[in-house]
Amino acid sequence: TTILSGTASAEEIRAAQFGAAKARFLAGDSSAADALQAFAANSPGDSHEAEAWFLLGQAQMNAGDFADAIEAYRRYQKLRGDLLAPYINQRIGDALRADKKPEAAAEAYRSALTNAPPALAFDLREKLAGALLDTGDTTGALAQYDTLLAVSKYLSYRMRIQTLAVQALDAAGQTKSAHQRRQSIVDEYTALATGQLACPSYSSYAYDALVALVGDNVPVDEFKRGLVD
């Protein structure tokens, strides 16, 4: 505030304007978007321009202004090049999906997957599956879930992904296939349990799968039922 109200160089004034706008954003001030928009639009080439567009995208996402958020993210991406493209395309996909545009969201997630690091790729595939389900593409979503299952070795994560696949099949009316995956959840959990001196930690995924199978009178090995219970 002192710099903005006093005598300072143009560079110092721009830095102060950006700092003030960023401070509003971090404080959750509803006026932050306007301040960031004004700075980004009026300071082309400034060292803080790219960050201003990024923060503007965040502020607009928080406000539910998805179309403008996408534009801000794209401006940021243009300034920063391809280095952060997977992360920005993910955010663009999130905005498109929130804006009820699942087809475009799926394309953004696919673009993000192109050069995504392994840790990010897991999250992207899960989001891509969700966007595909929003379009009614159950087969495509299941393919993404199965890709995740093919590479993940962590039991709790695998059962969560299988459960998402089960929910997708249930929503599509494919009860038999859903029950097959429920059986896989029970089998995988109990296979680990029988290989240890003590059962692994309680799993709501395995228990819920078992309850659904028993509720539909699907035969389940009694020993496996006991382990899950």
Side-chain angles (χ1 to χ4, degrees):
T1 303
T2 301
I3 293 176
L4 291 175
S5 60
T7 302
S9 67
E11 183 178 353
E12 289 174 328
I13 291 174
R14 286 196 302 271
Q17 288 172 334
F18 173 73
K22 184 175 181 179
R24 291 184 191 180
F25 170 78
L26 294 175
D29 189 329
S30 60
S31 68
D34 289 339
L36 288 164
Q37 176 83 58
F39 175 84
N42 295 321
S43 304
D46 186 86
S47 60
H48 298 293
E49 181 190 1
E51 186 179 0
W53 285 117
F54 178 79
L55 293 178
L56 176 59
Q58 292 286 85
Q60 290 167 330
M61 274 290 290
N62 294 340
D65 188 1
F66 305 120
D68 285 340
I70 292 166
E71 176 61 24
Y73 285 141
R74 285 176 173 160
R75 284 178 174 269
Y76 171 80
Q77 188 175 28
K78 183 177 181 180
L79 290 168
R80 292 298 303 269
D82 295 333
L83 182 61
L84 299 176
Y87 299 94
I88 301 305
N89 279 324
Q90 179 188 33
R91 291 177 182 275
I92 290 173
D94 293 346
L96 287 165
R97 193 176 177 198
D99 201 25
K100 310 300 182 184
K101 297 176 180 177
E103 294 89 354
E107 288 306 309
Y109 292 137
R110 286 195 177 97
S111 295
L113 276 166
T114 302
N115 296 307
L120 180 63
F122 277 83
D123 189 35
L124 285 169
R125 285 198 183 280
E126 192 172 333
K127 289 184 173 185
L128 173 56
L132 292 172
L133 287 176
D134 291 343
T135 71
D137 185 1
T138 302
T139 299
L142 291 173
Q144 295 303 319
Y145 291 141
D146 285 336
T147 297
L148 292 171
L149 291 169
V151 296
S152 174
K153 298 180 180 179
Y154 296 101
L155 181 65
S156 60
Y157 178 79
R158 291 177 57 78
M159 288 193 293
R160 185 173 72 79
I161 295 301
Q162 278 283 39
T163 299
L164 291 175
V166 165
Q167 293 170 352
L169 288 165
D170 279 340
Q174 300 180 39
T175 305
K176 182 178 180 179
S177 295
H179 281 342
Q180 289 174 341
R181 286 185 182 260
R182 287 187 173 99
Q183 185 66 62
S184 295
I185 292 172
V186 171
D187 290 345
E188 190 166 356
Y189 178 85
T190 55
L192 180 62
T194 54
Q196 299 180 345
L197 294 176
C199 289
S201 59
Y202 166 75
S203 170
S204 61
Y205 299 117
Y207 184 75
D208 290 346
L210 175 65
V211 169
L213 291 170
V214 173
D216 271 3
N217 298 312
V218 177
V220 181
D221 179 83
E222 291 296 325
F223 182 68
K224 291 180 180 180
R225 287 183 63 175
L227 284 174
V228 173
D229 285 334

